[in-house]
Amino acid sequence: RLEQRGASCFNPLQMDEQISLQDIDGLTAECVEHPLATKGVKALPIVRSGRYHFEVELLRDCALIVGWSGAMTLPSQFDQQAYGYSFDAKKWRCQAAAGSYGASFGKKGDVVGAFLSWSDLAGGSTPRRSLQIAFALNGRFLGTAFETSSEMTAGVAPVPLQPHICQSPAGPMMCVRLRGAEKGMALAYPAEGYLPLSAIIEQDFCPFSIAVAEAAAERVVAAVTREQLQSFCLPDEHVAEVYDLHSDTDVKTLTLNICQALEIPEASTSSLLHVNLTERGSSTALIACRRPGDIERLTSLPCTGNPAASHFSVRPLRHAAASSRERLRELRGESFRPRADCSVARRLIHGSLQSPMPLSHIVEEKSRQHAAAPRQEAMG
């Protein structure tokens, strides 16, 4: 159900223990124990493109947050990959109120609509997408609450999203119904230009494992600092070698050419990449990028049709010259350690707390094991 289109309901595998599903279809959720902190439940499907709409109908007076979030966001949180609208007329992001928005709600019979709209941005040779999140209350559209794009130079770019509802500790316990997820529970207030979740098409659907991988990768990107870029203290997939440089090549010119090839604004350079010549007059240099996808783009850039790329060539770190790899070790320093697998630590923590592992962590762990299997076979 997680990997195939068709399931449109609350997901019992993404639900805090204080939340209970009250019907066999998984469309009614109730908070059965008043929490000291936010507790929640997430729903399927996960949406990667298109324009979609779901509603939450309040079956009694309650205090909650309604919105969308990435697959790595826990049910109890509205973190940096979540976008919410709270009962006290606030936008909710990064575990905090992000400004006033709309009107307050919380009475029995209120219907909160949540809208998601992906669109492609024009211009440039690389695909870019924007995301808009909006809400409605009892059929009244409240306007755009959040807007972001895949070309963000800082913070978190959008990832595939799924419906997310959180109980607030500051009010009555929720009992809600999910509308628009099944044909038998239609939207109370359909909106022109948006499809209900029950009508999601194959190209807009995102399997859970892919959603976890994209959300996890974006979290790594968001955590990268300028200090890490400048010291190259990043996983190897963020680093590459620039080669066949002229002896008079300087870092500033090379950096400018790379930015032009990637279509990155020059003003954003210091937060997105860093270049270091292997040595003065050398034909090679090292480049570190905040996003590993930029490294992949650089290594596959054709020299023809891109004037900026004609001044340099880039190859993956595994093919770098010995002098470049030695320079990388010097830049990173003796204290640098490759990114570790946190699976064991997670299991120890959850075991000591006697709490279940979040579904997203389990899927991420299995994906890491599957990715490591070919490498282990090759070494054997």
Side-chain angles (χ1 to χ4, degrees):
R1 296 181 68 186
L2 295 172
E3 299 297 298
Q4 298 179 353
R5 180 173 61 95
S8 297
C9 58
F10 288 121
N11 183 7
L13 300 178
Q14 290 179 290
M15 183 174 68
D16 288 313
E17 61 182 9
Q18 292 84 354
I19 309 298
S20 174
L21 300 186
Q22 300 300 305
D23 61 341
I24 193 172
D25 296 321
L27 299 179
T28 303
E30 181 179 10
C31 183
V32 295
E33 178 183 340
H34 207 293
L36 298 177
T38 53
K39 300 296 178 182
V41 59
K42 305 179 74 172
L44 300 170
I46 301 178
V47 184
R48 71 191 319 170
S49 57
R51 294 163 60 89
Y52 290 91
H53 173 203
F54 74 90
E55 293 174 336
V56 174
E57 178 185 358
L58 278 58
L59 301 181
R60 67 183 179 211
D61 291 359
C62 43
L64 67 158
I65 305 170
V66 177
W68 303 84
S69 68
M72 286 294 290
T73 299
L74 298 178
S76 59
Q77 300 179 355
F78 265 80
D79 60 12
Q80 70 270 28
Q81 290 183 330
Y83 311 86
Y85 166 39
S86 67
F87 71 101
D88 54 354
K90 297 287 194 302
K91 293 186 289 185
W92 203 262
R93 186 112 192 264
C94 297
Q95 288 295 91
S100 299
Y101 175 82
S104 59
F105 64 89
K107 296 296 184 182
K108 178 180 178 180
D110 280 346
V111 176
V112 180
F115 300 84
L116 171 152
S117 176
W118 295 93
S119 58
D120 295 325
L121 296 173
S125 59
T126 57
R128 298 176 299 162
R129 298 201 302 160
S130 69
L131 168 69
Q132 288 186 330
I133 301 289
F135 298 92
L137 179 58
N138 298 325
R140 181 169 67 90
F141 189 71
L142 301 176
T144 300
F146 302 96
E147 186 168 7
T148 184
S149 74
S150 59
E151 62 179 356
M152 289 183 67
T153 58
V156 181
V159 297
L161 299 175
Q162 62 185 130
H164 189 171
I165 300 167
C166 256
Q167 166 70 50
S168 170
M173 294 190 295
M174 71 177 189
C175 184
V176 299
R177 179 183 292 128
L178 185 65
R179 304 191 69 102
E182 289 289 344
K183 295 180 179 179
M185 190 57 64
L187 294 168
Y189 303 99
E192 185 177 355
Y194 291 87
L195 291 174
L197 289 178
S198 60
I200 189 170
I201 59 177
E202 190 67 40
Q203 69 186 45
D204 296 335
F205 169 77
C206 184
F208 192 81
S209 59
I210 294 176
V212 167
E214 292 191 19
E218 191 58 41
R219 285 171 182 266
V220 172
V221 168
V224 172
T225 66
R226 291 188 182 185
E227 290 74 18
Q228 288 173 313
L229 276 175
Q230 293 170 2
S231 64
F232 289 80
C233 290
L234 298 167
D236 285 354
E237 57 264 31
H238 291 252
V239 183
E241 181 192 50
V242 188
Y243 65 100
D244 284 349
L245 299 175
H246 296 296
S247 58
D248 59 349
T249 299
D250 63 275
V251 169
K252 184 176 181 180
T253 302
L254 178 58
T255 301
L256 180 61
N257 287 332
I258 291 174
C259 286
Q260 291 174 346
L262 290 173
E263 299 178 345
I264 291 174
E266 188 176 356
S268 304
T269 302
S270 61
S271 65
L272 292 180
L273 60 88
H274 182 72
V275 177
N276 191 299
L277 292 175
T278 304
E279 58 185 9
R280 186 179 295 276
S282 172
S283 63
T284 61
L286 291 166
I287 178 172
C289 289
R290 174 184 287 270
R291 297 182 178 278
D294 287 341
I295 293 292
E296 294 175 6
R297 289 167 57 196
L298 287 171
T299 57
S300 60
L301 274 177
C303 292
T304 57
N306 192 326
S310 65
H311 298 287
F312 63 89
S313 299
V314 180
R315 58 191 172 199
L317 191 58
R318 63 181 179 274
H319 299 314
S323 58
S324 293
R325 293 197 295 270
E326 179 59 31
R327 177 58 177 156
L328 179 60
R329 283 193 288 270
E330 294 174 0
L331 290 168
R332 285 173 165 175
E334 295 182 359
S335 61
F336 175 76
R337 295 291 182 272
R339 184 174 58 189
D341 185 347
C342 58
S343 300
V344 174
R346 281 176 175 169
R347 289 186 175 276
L348 286 172
I349 292 171
H350 286 282
S352 64
L353 296 175
Q354 296 184 341
S355 62
M357 282 269 288
L359 176 64
S360 55
H361 291 175
I362 296 173
V363 172
E364 183 188 26
E365 181 179 318
K366 289 185 177 297
S367 298
R368 188 184 294 112
Q369 291 171 350
H370 290 159
R375 293 196 298 269
Q376 293 171 351
E377 291 175 1
M379 293 174 63

